[in-house]
Amino acid sequence: MYPPTSSEAGRDPWVDDDVPPGPAGRAHPPVPRIGPDVDDDGPPARRGRPRRLRRSGDPGRRPDDEAVDDVDEEEFEPVEVRRPLSLAVAGFAALLGVGLVLGAQTAGPGHRLPFAFIIFGVQLIFVLAWTMAMRPPALLLVALVSAVVAAAADTAAVQSDIAGLAPLGYLAAGGFLLGVLGQLVRRVDRVRVTDSLGTTLLIVVGVVAFATLIVLSRIPAGTQAITVCLTATGVALTVARITDAVLPWPRLAPQVPRGAAGVVAGAMAGTLVSAVLGSYLVSFTPTSGAVIGLVTAATAVLADLAVGYAEAGRLMAGEPPTMWVARHMQGPLGGFALAAPAAYAMCVLFL
């Protein structure tokens, strides 16, 4: 015999009473669940084990998440812009421009030695600032070779029969090779010779670039071109640094204390001044003065900005900071060094 069953035995405990019975008088069984209790249109549920809690109660974090957070925090820590320093660099750029422009006025047929002495003094300052800031291997050797190359380049620019850049190019190549060979002799410096190739090349080419101003003074309308170009360069560098002291915005990089407003304002101010000078000088027009002034001013401002990026890169690489004065003189000197061959090229090709 079968055991007796009650009327409630055929019902599931989770079925509600208001569900209509089926044909056999029994309730319909519930539809089995085959997926997560979410809408079909929504995103799929994230699978995986539950994240463990730390002792402090926060959900556990992976090491790579912490590394990403650390990098983000470092990226948003801008370097402080020191206004007195920016104003001091602006004053140095203005004095350098005035000295070179006034020195160019002393140059004349058969009287280029005074201008050559002024250029040589600027070249020595360039060598001291850049070698102390970049500190290549065999620093003393590189400085001596650069000084000798500077003197030889000035002599060749004054004494050559034809005013041209060919002797300066030969001297730059010879000075670079001599500096590299001098570093290869010493075993201590031989390890870093690959890293110092760019540094040695920049220093040697920089001192030779200043000698192009002497060659330019021997070309017809060259002295006037020097006046227009170097005035635009000095104004551009000065205005850019003053703008950084007042409004360093927007920041080009958190690690570089420079702003885009200074770069743009400096280039525009240099172009305006060169256009005004071009309307008063012979062999120039406001258009021609504005064109050559724009090229030299923009070149100088970008070179000054590149020096700031290079200094920030060295500090981020863990290299110890170098002499304070040399680091901040490096930018204006590099700007004038790059503006000199640009002025020569514009005078020869455009005027």
Side-chain angles (χ1 to χ4, degrees), residues 172-245:
F176 172 70
L177 292 177
L178 184 60
V180 173
L181 291 176
Q183 296 175 14
L184 288 174
V185 172
R186 300 178 56 185
R187 181 177 300 178
V188 178
D189 301 327
R190 195 182 307 165
V191 179
R192 297 179 53 199
V193 69
T194 304
D195 299 334
S196 68
L197 291 178
T199 304
T200 306
L201 181 62
L202 286 175
I203 297 174
V204 173
V205 172
V207 296
V208 174
F210 279 105
T212 58
L213 295 175
I214 303 175
V215 179
L216 183 59
S217 66
R218 300 178 57 183
I219 299 176
T223 302
Q224 297 177 352
I226 292 175
T227 302
V228 173
C229 294
L230 294 189
T231 302
T233 300
V235 170
L237 293 174
T238 304
V239 171
R241 291 290 185 165
I242 293 177
T243 306
D244 289 336

Side-chain angles (χ1 to χ4, degrees), residues 228-229 232 270-272 274-275 278 284-298 342 346 350-351:
V228 173
C229 294
T271 304
L272 177 62
S274 61
F284 278 88
T285 62
T287 302
S288 61
V291 170
I292 67 174
L294 174 62
V295 173
T296 53
M346 294 301 296
F350 188 74
L351 297 180

Side-chain angles (χ1 to χ4, degrees), residues 3-307:
T5 57
S6 63
S7 60
E8 301 294 333
R11 299 184 61 184
D12 293 328
W14 57 79
V15 179
D16 296 334
D17 294 337
D18 55 352
V19 177
R26 300 173 59 92
H28 292 286
V31 180
R33 300 178 63 185
I34 58 175
D37 190 11
V38 294
D39 297 336
D40 296 339
D41 297 334
R46 186 175 179 181
R47 298 181 179 179
R49 293 176 297 179
R51 302 178 69 179
R52 293 179 298 177
L53 296 178
R54 288 184 175 180
R55 294 181 179 179
S56 59
D58 296 335
R61 302 176 63 188
R62 294 177 297 178
D64 54 352
D65 296 338
E66 297 179 358
V68 172
D69 292 343
D70 294 341
V71 173
D72 293 340
E73 292 177 359
E74 292 179 359
E75 289 179 355
F76 292 96
E77 293 180 358
V79 178
E80 181 184 1
V81 179
R82 293 179 286 179
R83 295 182 178 179
L85 178 60
S86 298
L87 294 176
V89 176
F92 173 71
L95 291 176
L96 186 60
V98 170
L100 290 174
V101 171
L102 294 180
Q105 303 303 318
T106 63
H111 297 86
R112 293 185 175 86
L113 284 179
F115 188 40
F117 283 121
I118 294 175
I119 294 296
F120 183 68
V122 175
Q123 288 170 329
L124 291 181
I125 299 175
F126 179 88
V127 170
L128 292 176
W130 277 66
T131 52
M132 293 302 299
M134 304 188 75
R135 302 193 66 84
L139 186 147
L140 183 60
L141 175 64
V142 174
L144 291 177
V145 170
S146 301
V148 172
V149 171
D154 296 342
T155 304
V158 173
Q159 299 295 333
S160 59
D161 297 333
I162 301 176
L165 299 182
L168 303 184
Y170 297 146
L171 288 172
F176 172 70
L177 292 177
L178 184 60
V180 173
L181 291 176
Q183 296 175 14
L184 288 174
V185 172
R186 300 178 56 185
R187 181 177 300 178
V188 178
D189 301 327
R190 195 182 307 165
V191 179
R192 297 179 53 199
V193 69
T194 304
D195 299 334
S196 68
L197 291 178
T199 304
T200 306
L201 181 62
L202 286 175
I203 297 174
V204 173
V205 172
V207 296
V208 174
F210 279 105
T212 58
L213 295 175
I214 303 175
V215 179
L216 183 59
S217 66
R218 300 178 57 183
I219 299 176
T223 302
Q224 297 177 352
I226 292 175
T227 302
V228 173
C229 294
L230 294 189
T231 302
T233 300
V235 170
L237 293 174
T238 304
V239 171
R241 291 290 185 165
I242 293 177
T243 306
D244 289 336
V246 178
L247 183 64
W249 181 88
R251 293 290 293 271
L252 296 174
Q255 296 81 12
V256 181
R258 301 294 303 273
V263 176
V264 176
M268 294 177 62
T271 304
L272 177 62
V273 171
S274 61
V276 173
L277 289 177
S279 62
Y280 290 100
L281 296 177
V282 181
S283 304
F284 278 88
T285 62
T287 302
S288 61
V291 170
I292 67 174
L294 174 62
V295 173
T296 53
T299 301
V301 171
L302 292 178
D304 186 17
L305 182 63
V307 170

